[in-house]
Amino acid sequence: MPGLHLSELTLSHFRSHKSARLALDARPVAIFGPNGAGKTNLIEAVSLLSPGRGLRRAAAQDMARRPEALGWKVTAILQSLHQVHEVAIWSEEGGARQVRIDDKSATQLALGRIIRVLWLIPAMDRLWIEGAEGRRRFLDRLTMSFLPGHAEATLTFEKAMRERNRLLKDQVRDAHWYLALERQMAESGAEIHANRQQALALIMGAQMQAETAFPAADLELTQTEGAMPEGADDLREALAESRFRDLVAGRTLIGPHRADLYGVYAAKGVPAADCSTGEQKALLVSLILANARALARDFGAPPILLLDEVAAHLDATRRAALYDEICALGAQAWMTGTGPELFSELGARAQHIHVTENDGTSRIEHLTP
């Protein structure tokens, strides 16, 4: 199977890394070092190579190394299927991020055609017990991994909804002001809903077909209130009918922005929100692995995985099982942890990188060729 991995990553004035270069092969990347050394900054840089705002959702100016704050740059050599691409992402003096692919200016959405990146970070550990917004964002990242155009549909819907909400807050009652916006919202909103349903079906199918040490989750797309109209025409009619109620609320109360992801620990029949912390973590790992397996078939290669502090809440047996599944999948998984013992089960199956910090600057040491 053709692969997908980074063979080189170069950072310049990115967060704690003044200058860093990693020469890599397709094996998993085990990154260890003390807290605050700059491990997560490395995998955040990799996350910027995919569409979106990256795993921290940070503004461009917040990624610049201090105190210089002159700007930053991330460059990578990407082996994607049977092609090699050079990708550069940078920001100058806090300006908007810029993208170049093979020395040509590109959009962030264009990155979705050549790379797939999934991540699991500690902030997601509370996914099942916090607000629906985080679960929608998680689901949309999974969906974009299969359907990069999902990002554009989401942006289109959100832009039109902001305009409609402005009309609602201004108590505009003339229907003609709403028609074009609601048509745009209906078309993009129906696409978003269909995309999410397709992604869930692919992930659920991948869970059923695999033998894994991690628990399967039954997933369902629900709405905060009522049911989501299935087609664009139905959604357009629902938006028109909801106008009076929306005027009272001052915002749009129906659409894909009101969706939620409901999960159940399948073997136990227990809602994910009621599971233990360890079970919730295992369910998230299971979903990421299922997403990766489905992508290996859909895209033609497993995605790059970013697993920050992945060993948290995993015992030694389940940690070893995770490493075995990653290696069997053939994914270049970037994993962080505080000590080398957390990755001992990987041995020579991975590249081991030691990150330390000195006077606010991260230092990188390759421990394996």
Side-chain angles (χ1 to χ4, degrees):
M1 178 185 291
L4 175 66
H5 70 275
L6 300 184
S7 59
E8 186 176 306
L9 179 69
T10 304
L11 309 184
S12 175
H13 292 84
F14 183 82
R15 296 222 185 247
S16 60
H17 296 273
K18 184 175 182 179
S19 178
R21 178 181 176 274
L22 294 175
L24 305 154
D25 56 45
R27 289 176 296 166
V29 183
I31 306 168
F32 66 92
N35 291 330
K39 304 184 299 295
T40 303
N41 296 341
L42 280 177
I43 65 171
E44 180 186 22
V46 178
S47 76
L48 298 180
L49 301 173
S50 65
R53 296 176 59 185
L55 59 80
R56 281 188 173 123
R57 296 178 56 78
Q61 63 267 26
D62 295 334
M63 300 183 219
R65 175 180 157 76
R66 308 294 177 183
E68 303 97 311
L70 299 175
W72 54 267
K73 188 172 187 179
V74 175
T75 306
I77 303 298
L78 170 69
Q79 311 285 327
S80 179
L81 303 179
H82 296 291
Q83 297 181 317
V84 179
H85 300 280
E86 182 175 353
V87 181
I89 316 285
W90 75 95
S91 169
E92 297 177 352
E93 298 183 344
R97 275 187 279 168
Q98 300 181 63
V99 180
R100 292 185 76 82
I101 300 175
D102 298 329
D103 208 30
K104 296 179 182 178
S105 294
T107 65
Q108 285 193 35
L109 295 179
L111 293 168
R113 292 197 291 268
I114 62 172
I115 190 170
R116 299 291 192 273
V117 183
L118 304 178
W119 57 75
L120 184 59
I121 60 176
M124 295 160 63
D125 288 351
R126 296 178 60 82
L127 183 81
W128 301 112
I129 57 178
E130 293 189 337
E133 181 181 358
R135 288 186 289 277
R136 279 194 300 273
R137 190 180 303 127
F138 176 77
L139 175 58
D140 283 335
R141 285 294 314 175
L142 301 186
T143 303
M144 279 190 287
S145 71
F146 296 109
L147 303 162
H150 183 71
E152 190 168 359
T154 301
L155 291 173
T156 299
F157 179 85
E158 290 177 349
K159 181 180 179 181
M161 184 174 67
R162 282 196 300 270
E163 291 297 312
R164 185 177 187 268
N165 285 347
R166 183 179 60 80
L167 295 176
L168 294 169
K169 289 176 182 177
D170 292 343
Q171 293 293 297
V172 175
R173 296 177 180 271
D174 187 341
H176 290 90
W177 287 91
Y178 292 91
L179 295 179
L181 290 173
E182 289 175 354
R183 185 181 309 111
Q184 198 171 36
M185 288 174 66
E187 292 172 356
S188 56
E191 182 180 351
I192 290 168
H193 184 66
N195 289 347
R196 288 170 171 170
Q197 296 279 31
Q198 182 179 342
L200 285 182
L202 288 169
I203 291 170
M204 295 276 284
Q207 284 189 128
M208 292 174 60
Q209 295 166 8
E211 292 185 9
T212 174
F214 294 88
D218 288 333
L219 302 173
E220 182 183 355
L221 188 60
T222 63
Q223 291 292 121
T224 303
E225 181 180 338
M228 173 70 185
E230 287 296 326
D233 290 341
D234 290 341
L235 180 53
R236 181 172 49 79
E237 290 178 8
L239 286 166
E241 292 172 0
S242 184
R243 243 178 254 150
F244 178 77
R245 190 169 62 115
D246 293 351
L247 278 164
V248 174
R251 66 186 189 280
T252 303
L253 297 175
I254 188 169
H257 65 295
R258 305 280 285 176
D260 197 357
L261 179 64
Y262 179 70
V264 174
Y265 190 128
K268 295 184 176 182
V270 177
D274 296 334
C275 290
S276 69
T277 301
E279 288 172 335
Q280 290 180 4
K281 182 78 170 186
L283 286 170
L284 285 173
V285 171
S286 178
L287 290 179
I288 293 295
L289 290 173
N291 192 177
R293 287 191 294 270
L295 270 176
R297 293 190 295 268
D298 184 77
F299 181 66
I304 292 173
L305 300 177
L306 308 177
L307 306 175
D308 195 19
E309 300 294 344
V310 69
H313 306 304
L314 296 181
D315 59 31
T317 300
R318 190 161 270 172
R319 192 167 63 232
L322 171 63
Y323 299 157
D324 287 344
E325 292 194 34
I326 287 171
C327 291
L329 183 63
Q332 188 186 59
W334 295 61
M335 298 170 283
T336 68
T338 53
E341 71 282 355
L342 295 173
F343 305 108
S344 60
E345 295 92 346
L346 277 166
R349 295 183 296 171
Q351 305 158 88
H352 297 260
I353 295 172
H354 186 203
V355 181
T356 56
E357 181 268 339
N358 183 28
D359 294 331
T361 299
S362 295
R363 312 286 184 186
I364 294 175
E365 178 187 7
H366 286 264
L367 299 185
T368 55

